[in-house]
Amino acid sequence: MKKNRGSSLEESSTNPGNITLRAPAKVIDSPLQLNDIFMRLKYLYFIFFLFSLFGANAQVSFNIIPPRDVVAGQQFRVVYRLSNAQGSSLNAPTVPGCTLRFGPSTSTSMSTQIINGQTSTSSSIDYSYVYIADKEGEYTIPTATINVDGKTLTADAKKFRVLPPDKTNPNDRSQVSATDRNSQTVDRPIGKDDIFVRVILNKSSAFENEAIECTLKLYTKYEAISSFNATSTPTYEGFLVEDVPVQAELNALENYNGQNYRTAVLRRYILYPQKTGSLTVTSGSYDIVVQQLERINQGYFYYTRPIEKQVRLSEYTAKVNVKPLPSPAPAGFDGAVGKFTISSQLSSTELKTNEAAILTYTIDGTGNIKFLKDPNPTLPTEFELYNPSHDVTAKVAGANMTGRMTSEFTFVPQYPGTFEIPSYDFVYFNPSTAAYETVKADGFTVNVAKGASSPSQNAGETPGLKANNTDIRHIHQGEKNLSKQHSYIIESPIYWITFAVLTLILITLAIILSHHNKKRADVDRMRVTKANKVARRHLRVAEKQISSNNTEAFYEALLKALWGYLGDKLNIPASELVRGNIAEKLTEYGASEGLISETLSLIDDCEMARYTPNAPELAPKQLYNKATDVINQLEAVK
Amino acid sequence: MKRIILSILSIISVLVAESSSIANQGDQAYNEGRFEEAIRLYQSSAQNEGTSSWLYYNLGNAYYRTDSIAKAILNYERALKLDPTNDNARVNLEFVNSRFNLSRPSESATTAFISRLTNSMHPNTWAITALIMFTLTLIAAACYFLLSKPLFRKIGFFSGLVLLPLTIASIALALNAHSRATSNNGAIVTIPSAQLSTVPSRPLTPSQQAFTVPEGYRLEIVDSIASTIDNGLIWYEVKVEDDSRAWVSSADVEII
């Protein structure tokens, strides 16, 4: 912990009473009190000399301290203060228009401060003149000079105001005066006009979002206030409020409605109306305890003691008429009201793909700077744009706020090339000219070189093409195959007739074919039925040949009978009639194994006898019988 | 004889040249940004030389450029009606519909499939496809019924089994495509917002107000009636989304 020790030795007395309100240094204006000061000086001189040994390295100055709270007809004091020096031959011309009552009287004060072991000393000599002014108005204290160590110091002229005396109502004997503590007695009621809080707006009509200065001011005739509590807070419906910190202290006298009051600024706001129409600001209500004096008679002399009295201050309201901004608002207007300038900076005009760059817009000015929205510049779509970072530094200046808003847009170029960042038009409404004004932030031409590819692209995640705008497809040019009639094949009878014709063709084909098949089947059946007959005929021929002993003809007839019978019976064309497929066909026909082998051996025997010189095992008669038997058996198969 | 043919050919070529020249003038006007003139030229071309899917498509584009949304949609629909395979018209119609929030609620998957299939070919192509399918089925039947060789009969049987449903389907699709191409059921709202009523006359009380439909919305006409109140004005009964029915004045819509 830092040691911070300060000791102060000062002539002026501290104000008794309250904590929140600090009264100014009390003006001592009675001769009796002045004498008192002189008595004290004797001690002070000693201390002054003691500390002057440390070397008065403090600044030498000579000033006029103008009087405060001057009311016509009452005495006041003009002080010429020489700091940190010994002076001589003061030349202070009298204040024109005022009557000098007394002076000069001299008082010396001195203070020593030891802060962290460092001692600093300051001293001052005050030369006081007591005047009286008869009329209200503004007076000037002329330039004064003083001689310090052979040099002449000059104090600049100062002005001060003399307020009119309270307008007295002859019928009202209970009137209290702010400047006369003796009038603030217990027997007088504390009236509505004696203490109140006012809401002061610096304009009675304003545009939407135009700054309005709002001051809550306490007016009181009772200087001694021992407590001050707000019972309800001020209301500001329809406003954005910017609180201005103020230190509440009792100020100089102020003449309001013909009466002199001490005033204190309780609160100060900058209001930005958000609605149009008549808007109301209220002061809130307060409980105040003031001190009145009670006179107590103690035989030969009086003395007074303070009595506390509670007063409730009623709410005070003020109205302001809020006008809408002129319509139509120009394009790009985004609620800025005041007076602004804009500038733009780009981190670099030589960029690389996938490397971030920063575009900064700076708006300076006075107005609703704290409530401005970020500009929305139109960057090329090839830039990936991030949300801007927003920063406002603003302070109250006069009846408005002045400051700077910066918006930082971070963007990453996605493709190489040369791109244009267009200039940005910032539109605001200037209430003093009642017109929209436009300021321009410069645009930039940016060259983007190919940089390192981003990790996401390395991972094979190539972004698809992104359409900036889509539109309808273009017209079809060239041949349009115009025709007056649009016919459909399906509507034409020929189409359906084709179906019918095709079906008919199929049916006709089927009929023809089936007819043909039937015929053929008949022929086959005939062949089968005739097979036996034909075979018998051949057999009979063969039989004849036995009797005539013509063996060759016999075998030929016998083979003819057998082959013919098989061909007819099994419905095999002559071309396919060979020994190889007889067995197969006979199996299909349903003949038994034995019969098939018997048939085959018979054919083999006949062919052997017919085509080779070898004589057959069996005699022709036996072969004939066997053939007859085979044919009979085959005939019996079905 | 040769002379006559030559002269006929020359007349046809002149006609073709002339017709393409009006429509081409429209193209040129469109390309140069004179959309009003393009509309006039396309319309005169349609009146004198006949229409086509492409002509309606270009006309729709020209109307879109002049911000006549309903007219643009109407002409795109007409282009699609003449040739459902006109992809450009479909894309532009969908573009305009989505841009002005006119997209209809999506139909069921089956309906969507059928309509996509139907629109995949021109009605005439469908008709020919159906005929070819039918012929193939007949051939397959002939193979099965008329040939005696088992292999041919087998081939005939199984290909017939496959071809028969395909034939039936393609005939159905051909009929569907034709009915779509020739139906006059579609209507486009041509006024900024049409008030559909529950009765075939102007809604007199709030309870008679059925729907409010925006310009460019497509309505399906079910029935029509000549109103006895509005001087014989024709009123259409239209289907609005699913099963809702309402009446719209023929003055508020134009049939595709």
Side-chain angles (χ1 to χ4, degrees):
Chain A
M1 222 172 97
K2 249 188 188 172
K3 218 175 173 186
N4 193 334
R5 188 155 54 88
S7 71
S8 170
L9 189 67
E10 230 174 316
E11 182 220 42
S12 59
S13 58
T14 50
N15 185 52
N18 91 69
I19 301 149
T20 52
L21 291 171
R22 191 156 57 81
K26 189 125 201 293
V27 178
I28 304 157
D29 44 11
S30 75
L32 187 88
Q33 282 171 321
L34 277 175
N35 287 338
D36 199 31
I37 290 165
F38 286 126
M39 291 285 281
R40 272 199 247 172
L41 275 177
K42 283 176 184 169
Y43 306 100
L44 288 170
Y45 268 121
F46 170 73
I47 300 160
F48 173 74
F49 279 118
L50 196 71
F51 282 104
S52 63
L53 293 176
F54 295 111
N57 54 350
Q59 193 72 40
V60 175
S61 65
F62 182 52
N63 291 315
I64 297 172
I65 301 168
R68 291 159 49 116
D69 306 339
V70 184
V71 177
Q74 290 184 7
Q75 283 186 357
F76 64 92
R77 216 149 68 117
V78 175
V79 176
Y80 301 86
R81 176 166 291 172
L82 177 64
S83 301
N84 304 320
Q86 290 288 352
S88 59
S89 58
L90 169 71
N91 175 23
T94 52
V95 181
C98 301
T99 318
L100 181 64
R101 278 298 192 78
F102 181 87
S105 62
T106 316
S107 70
T108 306
S109 73
M110 179 168 163
S111 73
T112 299
Q113 282 190 314
I114 304 166
I115 297 170
N116 292 342
Q118 281 219 312
T119 313
S120 61
T121 312
S122 62
S123 65
S124 64
I125 304 168
D126 286 356
Y127 303 91
S128 305
Y129 293 82
V130 176
Y131 285 95
I132 192 161
D134 297 326
K135 282 188 212 155
E136 61 170 292
E138 198 165 60
Y139 293 85
T140 308
I141 306 166
T143 315
T145 57
I146 194 163
N147 208 325
V148 176
D149 299 339
K151 279 188 272 182
T152 307
L153 291 179
T154 311
D156 293 333
K158 288 271 168 67
K159 286 180 177 174
F160 67 99
R161 276 197 72 83
V162 175
L163 297 168
D166 288 348
K167 255 189 215 157
T168 45
N169 187 346
N171 300 328
D172 186 8
R173 310 208 71 206
S174 65
Q175 202 166 12
V176 178
S177 165
T179 48
D180 185 6
R181 185 85 171 99
N182 293 328
S183 68
Q184 300 167 1
T185 50
V186 181
D187 54 324
R188 304 188 191 201
I190 300 171
K192 241 174 133 181
D193 293 336
D194 293 339
I195 182 162
F196 55 90
V197 173
R198 258 182 90 200
V199 178
I200 303 161
L201 302 175
N202 71 337
K203 47 193 87 162
S204 59
S205 97
F207 284 105
E208 226 178 308
N209 270 317
E210 184 184 352
I212 301 168
E213 186 188 27
C214 168
T215 313
L216 293 191
K217 210 171 189 182
L218 173 73
Y219 285 75
T220 177
K221 287 185 174 175
Y222 293 91
E223 189 181 311
I225 292 171
S226 46
S227 95
F228 188 93
N229 288 311
T231 52
S232 72
T233 50
T235 60
Y236 316 92
E237 209 171 311
F239 293 97
L240 279 175
V241 180
E242 183 63 36
D243 203 345
V244 185
V246 289
Q247 197 174 10
E249 59 181 323
L250 279 181
N251 290 327
L253 277 183
E254 190 179 316
N255 195 288
Y256 177 69
N257 278 348
Q259 304 282 310
N260 289 321
Y261 295 95
R262 293 204 175 276
T263 61
V265 174
L266 301 175
R267 278 178 170 188
R268 206 148 86 82
Y269 299 100
I270 307 293
L271 302 177
Y272 295 98
Q274 301 298 302
K275 289 196 291 192
T276 56
S278 179
L279 298 184
T280 307
V281 181
T282 66
S283 65
S285 50
Y286 301 89
D287 279 347
I288 299 184
V289 177
V290 298
Q291 291 177 359
Q292 290 187 318
L293 292 180
E294 189 183 24
R295 240 166 206 272
I296 293 169
N297 199 337
Q298 285 259 325
Y300 292 105
F301 53 95
Y302 297 102
Y303 79 95
T304 57
R305 65 165 189 186
I307 298 289
E308 292 193 331
K309 209 175 232 183
Q310 183 163 335
V311 193
R312 169 155 292 188
L313 304 189
S314 55
E315 235 172 26
Y316 186 98
T317 58
K319 278 193 194 314
V320 63
N321 179 36
V322 180
K323 297 176 278 186
L325 298 179
S327 191
F333 177 69
D334 210 2
V337 175
K339 176 97 179 125
F340 302 97
T341 58
I342 187 168
S343 65
S344 56
Q345 290 105 39
L346 187 64
S347 54
S348 168
T349 54
E350 300 297 324
L351 302 176
K352 282 181 174 172
T353 55
N354 297 312
E355 280 184 21
I358 296 172
L359 174 67
T360 312
Y361 287 100
T362 309
I363 297 173
D364 287 294
T366 302
N368 56 346
I369 186 111
K370 262 199 161 175
F371 310 108
L372 289 190
K373 287 172 192 146
D374 283 312
N376 52 340
T378 46
L379 260 59
T381 49
E382 288 85 352
F383 293 175
E384 193 180 340
L385 187 64
Y386 296 93
N387 283 338
S389 71
H390 183 95
D391 185 43
V392 181
T393 51
K395 60 180 197 304
V396 174
N400 209 332
M401 295 206 75
T402 300
R404 161 173 292 194
M405 189 202 87
T406 50
S407 284
E408 280 186 1
F409 290 85
T410 303
F411 64 88
V412 178
Q414 304 282 303
Y415 301 97
T418 301
F419 300 100
E420 197 73 36
I421 298 177
S423 61
Y424 180 73
D425 285 344
F426 178 70
V427 183
Y428 63 90
F429 179 75
N430 189 343
S432 56
T433 58
Y436 292 100
E437 289 170 16
T438 305
V439 283
K440 204 180 267 292
D442 291 338
F444 301 94
T445 305
V446 183
N447 291 313
V448 179
K450 190 143 181 62
S453 59
S454 71
S456 71
Q457 278 170 329
N458 281 343
E461 237 181 82
T462 41
L465 287 177
K466 213 167 70 188
N468 300 335
N469 284 299
T470 49
D471 197 6
I472 54 168
R473 288 192 186 171
H474 197 62
I475 52 165
H476 175 84
Q477 279 154 313
E479 190 49 51
K480 292 175 188 63
N481 301 320
L482 298 174
S483 74
K484 291 206 168 184
Q485 281 205 328
H486 299 281
S487 58
Y488 295 97
I489 297 174
I490 211 164
E491 285 174 352
S492 71
I494 295 168
Y495 178 73
W496 296 107
I497 288 170
T498 314
F499 275 83
V501 165
L502 282 171
T503 318
L504 274 177
I505 287 171
L506 181 75
I507 292 167
T508 321
L509 266 176
I511 290 169
I512 290 169
L513 213 63
S514 70
H515 195 70
H516 175 77
N517 281 354
K518 203 173 158 195
K519 253 185 175 168
R520 230 182 90 183
D522 286 350
V523 170
D524 286 350
R525 209 180 313 122
M526 289 271 271
R527 236 176 105 190
V528 173
T529 47
K530 278 183 177 169
N532 200 17
K533 228 186 264 174
V534 172
R536 302 260 171 234
R537 201 172 62 225
H538 285 300
L539 281 176
R540 266 198 302 279
V541 172
E543 203 179 1
K544 265 182 214 162
Q545 299 306 327
I546 295 174
S547 48
S548 61
N549 241 354
N550 192 347
T551 48
E552 205 166 315
F554 164 74
Y555 286 126
E556 183 145 3
L558 196 62
L559 275 171
K560 220 183 223 172
L562 276 171
W563 281 122
Y565 178 78
L566 286 172
D568 287 351
K569 197 74 192 175
L570 300 179
N571 205 1
I572 305 167
S575 58
E576 287 169 34
L577 198 63
V578 286
R579 190 191 175 275
N581 58 7
I582 289 286
E584 194 188 324
K585 290 283 180 182
L586 278 173
T587 317
E588 251 177 63
Y589 183 68
S592 65
E593 286 285 307
L595 184 57
I596 290 167
S597 60
E598 209 175 334
T599 313
L600 286 178
S601 74
L602 178 66
I603 290 172
D604 287 346
D605 282 348
C606 289
E607 295 209 322
M608 193 80 89
R610 165 79 178 80
Y611 299 111
T612 59
N614 303 343
E617 282 170 38
L618 296 171
K621 183 71 189 168
Q622 279 170 305
L623 274 176
Y624 173 80
N625 288 342
K626 198 177 176 186
T628 316
D629 184 41
V630 163
I631 285 168
N632 284 339
Q633 276 187 51
L634 282 171
E635 197 69 7
V637 163
K638 269 249 168 113
Chain B
M1 187 65 192
K2 208 175 175 188
R3 269 188 146 185
I4 294 166
I5 291 171
L6 273 177
S7 62
I8 288 169
L9 275 176
S10 68
I11 286 168
I12 288 170
S13 67
V14 163
L15 278 174
V16 166
E18 232 177 25
S19 81
S20 67
S21 90
I22 292 184
N24 287 353
Q25 277 169 31
D27 292 354
Q28 206 178 343
Y30 183 96
N31 285 337
E32 287 163 11
R34 295 175 280 119
F35 302 119
E36 306 280 354
E37 197 183 333
I39 291 171
R40 197 179 51 71
L41 285 164
Y42 286 141
Q43 277 173 338
S44 112
S45 169
Q47 220 158 46
N48 299 320
E49 267 75 43
T51 56
S52 77
S53 186
W54 285 124
L55 187 80
Y56 282 130
Y57 167 74
N58 286 3
L59 187 56
N61 274 3
Y63 273 123
Y64 176 78
R65 289 279 180 245
T66 55
D67 292 329
S68 313
I69 301 313
K71 289 271 188 192
I73 289 173
L74 184 72
N75 282 292
Y76 289 142
E77 292 270 15
R78 280 178 177 163
L80 284 173
K81 194 175 159 186
L82 276 188
D83 182 5
T85 62
N86 191 336
D87 245 0
N88 285 356
R90 189 177 308 286
V91 167
N92 280 6
L93 177 64
E94 275 163 17
F95 177 84
V96 176
N97 275 342
S98 71
R99 195 168 157 206
F100 294 94
N101 289 323
L102 296 168
S103 303
R104 301 170 68 81
S106 53
E107 43 199 354
S108 74
T110 325
T111 326
F113 175 74
I114 289 171
S115 81
R116 230 186 17 250
L117 201 61
T118 311
N119 291 336
S120 65
M121 287 202 276
H122 191 272
N124 282 348
T125 321
W126 270 121
I128 287 167
T129 309
L131 189 60
I132 289 169
M133 284 295 188
F134 181 75
T135 313
L136 288 174
T137 314
L138 282 186
I139 289 168
C143 278
Y144 176 69
F145 288 114
L146 305 184
L147 295 184
S148 52
K149 268 237 168 178
L151 180 67
F152 291 147
R153 295 193 66 197
K154 270 182 197 167
I155 290 172
F157 180 76
F158 286 111
S159 59
L161 214 62
V162 175
L163 282 166
L164 187 65
L166 286 179
T167 307
I168 293 165
S170 58
I171 290 172
L173 285 169
L175 289 170
N176 187 20
H178 175 251
S179 79
R180 274 168 188 251
T182 51
S183 83
N184 291 324
N185 291 343
I188 299 294
V189 176
T190 52
I191 59 169
S193 93
Q195 179 65 57
L196 306 194
S197 62
T198 54
V199 290
S201 65
R202 290 268 171 228
L204 300 170
T205 61
S207 65
Q208 289 182 343
Q209 296 174 352
F211 296 93
T212 310
V213 286
E215 180 179 7
Y217 197 82
R218 189 192 157 120
L219 298 164
E220 298 299 325
I221 295 172
V222 187
D223 197 4
S224 71
I225 192 172
S227 169
T228 46
I229 303 167
D230 300 333
N231 300 328
L233 188 70
I234 304 286
W235 281 78
Y236 298 125
E237 186 174 18
V238 291
K239 233 189 332 195
V240 192
E241 288 188 15
D242 303 331
D243 296 328
S244 311
R245 299 279 171 97
W247 293 87
V248 68
S249 160
S250 60
D252 297 348
V253 296
E254 192 160 339
I255 290 178
I256 293 162

